[in-house]
Amino acid sequence: FCSFKCGEEYAVAANSSAVRRQLYDLEKGICQICQVDAHGLFKRIKALPKGPERLEALTRGGFKLRGNLTAMLSRPVEGDFWQADHIKPVAEGGGLVQIDGFRTLCTPCHATETAGLLTR
């Protein structure tokens, strides 16, 4: 690559893990719609023992509870809590973009945005 920046831009376009890392560096896992600290919530849930404390922490953390929470509560992974969302949807030409074409969304906000896209 011609420069470090050029290499980073290629990584974002080619690798979703690179997108998540760079987006985390910029937005720290904070949902850009509802402002919930999805990364912090993930860390709190993961640190708790399995059981009702995890569900209580999700509720207190401002996470909108939807769908099947079994995996999220029993085996939490960061990807359950926040997504690297294309600001301009891939279906509308937003596929190959640089990091400024992404935003952090908590999983519930991402689901809402995706559902809205399906109605366009």
Side-chain angles (χ1 to χ4, degrees), residues 48-98:
L48 289 170
K50 291 180 185 176
E53 296 88 5
R54 286 185 173 182
L55 181 58
E56 290 170 19
L58 270 179
T59 304
R60 281 192 318 269
F63 216 67
K64 300 173 212 144
L65 303 178
R66 292 188 185 158
N68 183 355
L69 300 173
T70 304
M72 182 183 279
L73 295 173
S74 62
R75 294 173 309 284
V77 294
E78 194 162 10
D80 291 338
F81 291 82
W82 69 272
Q83 313 300 315
D85 180 61
H86 289 84
I87 294 170
K88 181 176 183 180
V90 173
E92 296 175 357
L96 294 175
V97 295
Q98 301 306 312

Side-chain angles (χ1 to χ4, degrees), residues 91-113:
E92 296 175 357
L96 294 175
V97 295
Q98 301 306 312
I99 195 66
D100 61 353
F102 290 92
R103 63 184 172 173
T104 301
L105 293 185
C106 68
T107 299
C109 285
H110 187 260
T112 300
E113 289 290 300

